[in-house]
């Protein structure tokens, strides 16, 4: 397991002073982001040292970024999911915070209902634009912390806000000061950091924020937002895309403590989870994600993936009830009506289902051969088998044993005559042009035909009762 190294050597960040590099024209890094071609990954071969913090945790933005990709949740759904997030976070609050929109009456009602729960974790925080008129919403709701949109790339500063870097930074600092004067912790969202001029804007801005933190004696947090999913974790990759470089630079050059840093990733290039874990490894204490990874465009880092990653790195398995992941997935399916992709890791209906006969043969001998871990124990999800023309006698026998929960001497061997008969029936279906898997109902019917005097199971008896009626 990953442990904190208390003896690593670091230089004092106060030794470094970076000046804001303003310019009348934006730096769009066209050598890396040509737009009419796939974005490039450049390398300078500088290796940043791993620097895992003593403590790492997770924050949630299901009710903010997560709502930018789907129809809005109802107040009841928000409160129910908030309860499940609290339950998943465990007794020590691995999921420390939940972020909320504050702009309409429904958002505010949901915040109030969640606050009435009285949980220590997750703490409720807000999100606002960098304008003072938005700040009054935070005060009215009585929140102790809020996110503030602080776009950091020239794409946003020049092309969206129509400002220079200095004008943007002055605007951001103004709202941060206003928050600190009210005793509210500002969390500055460095939007689009993976397309930003890191040493020309990001570090100078972060240094100014750390000065304000020191003066006010309050934390000023920085969320590094990989808005377009451009971050990469490859050793030796160059800024602005290098996740190790960003985290190391904020900590080492800007003097941002690990506990003030948060990584917020997107999955546009399938790298959300690996980038998040990399941020933890290189010195960022906090990773932000959403339930099921739902978020703008391709989504955010899935909270359930972060829970599994945390347990893999730290091994504190007794603190977390991972079966809550399945409760959350069931809620999305049954209460919200969201169709989770069947093969989505940990939550999809078929994430631990095999169709290959050769794999089923291995599972008959020992399920550890083809199961990632004890999914029945850790996720309340027994191993599954889907029957097709590729399943063979091993797959069919495995389906029978799993579906009817047969143990030990009760289990049906793949050499059983009934298994061979079912295999012949299955193959006939596909010879006749079938292209879908055999359903559980069809398999149960076949089991009733060939094993009604062999298998003692309520499921089989129920099937016989239905047929009699």
């Amino acid at each position: 397991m990953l442990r904190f190294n208390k003896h690593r050597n670091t230089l004092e960040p106060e030794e470094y002073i970076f000046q804001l590099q303003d310019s009348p024209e934006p730096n769009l890094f066209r050598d890396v982001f040509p737009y009419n071609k796939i974005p490039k990954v450049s390398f300078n071969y500088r290796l940043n040292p791993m620097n895992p913090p003593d403590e790492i945790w997770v924050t949630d933005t299901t009710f903010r970024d997560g709502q930018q990709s789907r129809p809005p949740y109802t107040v009841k759904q928000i409160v129910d999911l908030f309860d499940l997030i609290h339950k998943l976070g465990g007794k020590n609050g691995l999921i420390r915070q939940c972020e909320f929109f504050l702009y309409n009456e429904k958002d505010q009602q949901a915040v109030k209902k969640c606050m009435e729960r009285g949980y220590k974790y997750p703490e409720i925080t807000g999100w606002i634009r960098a304008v003072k008129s938005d700040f009054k919403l935070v005060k009215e709701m009585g929140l102790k912390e809020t996110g503030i949109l602080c776009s950091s790339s020239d794409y946003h500063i020049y092309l969206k806000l129509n400002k220079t870097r200095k004008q943007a930074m002055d605007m951001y600092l103004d709202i941060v000061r206003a928050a600190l004067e009210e005793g509210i912790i500002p969390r500055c969202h460095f939007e689009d950091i993976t397309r930003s001029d890191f040493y020309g804007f990001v570090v100078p801005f972060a240094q100014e924020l750390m000065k304000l933190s020191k003066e006010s004696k309050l934390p000023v947090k920085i969320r590094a937002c990989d808005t377009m999913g451009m971050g990469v974790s490859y050793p030796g990759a160059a800024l602005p895309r290098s996740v190790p470089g960003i985290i190391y630079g904020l900590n080492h050059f800007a003097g941002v403590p690990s506990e003030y840093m948060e990584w917020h990733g997107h999955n546009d290039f399938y790298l959300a989870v690996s980038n998040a874990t990399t941020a933890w490894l290189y010195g960022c204490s906090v990773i932000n994600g959403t339930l099921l990874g739902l978020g703008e465009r391709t989504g955010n880092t899935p909270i359930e993936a972060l829970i599994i990653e945390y347990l893999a790195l730290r091994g504190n398995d007794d603190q977390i009830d991972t079966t809550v992941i399945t409760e959350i997935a069931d809620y999305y399916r049954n209460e919200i009506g969201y169709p989770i992709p069947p093969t989505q890791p940990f939550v999809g209906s078929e994430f631990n289902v095999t169709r290959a006969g050769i794999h089923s043969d291995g599972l008959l001998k020992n399920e550890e051969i083809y199961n990632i871990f004890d999914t029945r124990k850790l996720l309340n999800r027994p191993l599954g088998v889907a029957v097709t023309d590729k399943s063979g006698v091993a797959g069919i026998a495995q389906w029978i044993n799993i579906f009817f929960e047969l143990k030990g001497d009760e289990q049906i061997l793949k050499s059983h005559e009934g298994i061979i008969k079912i295999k012949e029936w299955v193959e006939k279906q596909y010879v006749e042009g079938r292209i879908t898997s055999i359903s559980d109902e069809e398999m149960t019917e076949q089991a009733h035909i060939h094993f009604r005097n062999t298998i003692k199971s309520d499921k089989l008896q129920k099937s016989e009762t239905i047929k009699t009626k």
Side-chain angles (χ1 to χ4, degrees):
M1 276 85 71
L2 180 71
R3 295 299 180 199
F4 172 64
N5 178 7
K6 296 177 185 285
H7 304 292
R8 63 185 183 276
N9 295 317
T10 58
L11 296 175
E12 290 297 321
E14 287 78 12
E15 296 180 16
Y16 304 102
I17 299 175
F18 288 80
Q19 299 294 329
L20 177 71
Q21 297 175 18
D22 210 358
S23 169
E25 298 295 328
N27 181 357
L28 303 181
F29 296 96
R30 284 302 185 204
D31 56 329
V32 180
F33 308 114
Y35 195 61
N36 60 348
K37 297 180 181 179
I38 300 299
K40 308 308 176 187
V41 180
S42 58
F43 288 81
N44 57 15
Y45 304 104
R46 295 175 183 170
L47 301 180
N48 305 111
M50 281 193 183
N51 184 26
D54 193 13
E55 189 176 8
I56 57 177
W57 62 91
V58 175
T59 61
D60 175 82
T61 186
T62 295
F63 310 125
R64 203 273 299 172
D65 204 329
Q67 289 205 98
Q68 295 179 174
S69 66
R70 60 174 313 283
Y73 297 107
T74 66
V75 172
K76 181 182 183 303
Q77 289 169 347
I78 289 174
V79 174
D80 289 347
L81 290 172
F82 185 72
D83 287 340
L84 287 167
I85 291 168
H86 165 74
K87 187 176 180 182
L88 180 60
K91 56 188 177 183
N92 293 328
L94 176 58
I95 305 175
R96 296 279 177 92
Q97 294 178 323
C98 269
E99 179 182 25
F100 286 77
F101 277 130
L102 304 173
Y103 288 109
N104 61 45
E105 186 177 345
K106 192 198 77 174
D107 294 332
Q108 295 171 21
Q109 185 183 358
V111 169
K112 290 174 183 176
K113 291 287 185 183
C114 291
M115 291 177 78
E116 288 172 2
R117 288 298 203 253
Y119 300 143
K120 180 178 180 181
Y121 300 117
E123 176 191 1
I124 294 170
T125 73
W127 180 91
I128 62 172
R129 299 165 298 176
V131 294
K132 289 187 176 180
S133 59
D134 284 4
F135 185 65
K136 67 179 182 180
L137 294 171
V138 181
K139 293 191 288 184
E140 289 171 358
M141 297 301 298
L143 302 183
K144 297 178 181 177
E145 179 175 322
T146 187
I148 301 171
L149 179 60
C150 297
S151 298
S152 62
S153 76
D154 286 359
Y155 287 87
H156 286 239
I157 293 171
Y158 288 80
L159 305 185
K160 179 183 175 182
L161 300 177
N162 197 28
K163 295 181 181 294
T164 66
R165 293 179 184 179
K166 185 177 188 309
Q167 289 170 337
M169 190 167 85
D170 289 344
M171 178 178 69
Y172 302 152
L173 292 173
D174 192 35
I175 191 68
V176 169
R177 291 188 188 97
L180 293 171
E181 287 170 3
E182 295 289 339
I184 294 173
I185 295 172
R187 185 182 61 246
C188 300
H189 292 201
F190 281 36
E191 192 83 359
D192 205 24
I193 196 169
T194 47
R195 292 194 298 176
S196 301
D197 186 338
F198 191 76
Y199 295 111
F201 182 81
V202 171
V203 172
F205 180 32
Q207 287 184 329
E208 291 300 316
L209 292 175
M210 292 305 99
K211 289 177 185 176
L212 292 178
S213 177
K214 188 174 182 180
E215 292 168 4
S216 65
K217 295 182 174 55
L218 283 174
V220 175
K221 300 180 180 179
I222 292 175
R223 177 181 289 181
C225 300
D226 184 16
T227 306
M228 304 306 293
M230 294 288 184
V232 295
S233 60
Y234 316 137
L239 291 165
R241 297 188 67 179
S242 170
V243 177
I246 289 169
I247 301 305
Y248 176 79
L250 286 172
N251 180 240
H252 188 68
F253 296 117
V256 184
S258 293
E259 62 270 23
Y260 289 8
M261 271 193 285
E262 184 177 21
W263 177 262
H264 170 93
H266 281 259
N267 202 38
D268 296 77
F269 292 90
Y270 285 104
L271 297 174
V273 176
S274 61
N275 284 341
T277 307
T278 298
W280 264 338
L281 292 174
Y282 282 85
C284 180
S285 286
V286 192
I287 306 297
N288 184 247
T290 61
L291 295 177
L292 308 189
L294 293 173
E296 190 175 9
R297 298 185 317 280
T298 57
N300 302 108
T301 314
I303 291 288
E304 60 275 12
L306 292 173
I307 296 296
I308 300 300
E309 287 287 274
Y310 172 85
L311 295 175
L313 291 172
R314 288 297 167 96
N316 300 331
D317 298 53
D318 59 332
Q319 296 181 12
I320 302 295
D321 179 3
T322 47
T323 65
V324 180
I325 291 172
T326 301
E327 292 182 42
I328 290 168
D330 289 343
Y331 187 89
Y332 269 91
R333 286 191 194 93
N334 303 328
E335 299 298 326
I336 296 178
Y338 174 70
I340 302 172
T343 56
Q344 184 163 334
F346 312 132
V347 293
S349 60
E350 299 180 8
F351 92 91
N352 63 341
V353 170
T354 185
R355 285 179 169 81
I358 191 169
H359 288 189
S360 295
D361 192 52
L363 291 170
L364 281 172
K365 298 178 175 68
N366 189 315
E367 73 171 42
E368 285 190 56
I369 297 172
Y370 286 114
N371 203 18
I372 55 174
F373 49 69
D374 189 345
T375 53
R376 180 190 296 271
K377 174 186 175 183
L378 298 177
L379 292 174
N380 197 22
R381 292 283 302 277
L383 195 65
V385 174
V387 176
T388 70
D389 59 335
K390 305 298 188 297
S391 298
V393 290
I396 292 167
Q398 186 73 358
W399 187 95
I400 295 285
N401 292 328
I402 289 173
F403 187 82
F404 295 111
E405 300 177 2
L406 305 180
K407 307 292 182 184
D409 294 339
E410 296 178 333
Q411 290 196 330
I412 305 298
L413 299 177
K414 65 181 181 179
S415 58
H416 192 286
E417 182 182 2
I419 296 294
I420 295 171
K421 292 288 186 182
I422 294 175
K423 175 180 178 290
E424 292 172 352
W425 175 83
V426 169
E427 289 177 342
K428 184 173 182 291
Q429 305 304 304
Y430 289 94
V431 169
E432 294 175 353
R434 182 172 183 145
I435 59 173
T436 59
S437 298
I438 306 297
S439 69
D440 288 352
E441 290 75 17
E442 290 172 300
M443 284 297 295
T444 303
E445 182 179 347
Q446 290 296 310
H448 172 75
I449 294 170
H450 299 287
F451 294 102
R452 61 179 175 271
N453 297 322
T454 306
I455 296 175
K456 306 301 180 184
S457 168
D458 291 340
K459 290 181 180 178
L460 195 60
Q461 300 307 318
K462 187 182 295 184
S463 169
E464 185 172 3
T465 301
I466 292 172
K467 286 181 174 298
T468 302
K469 290 181 178 179

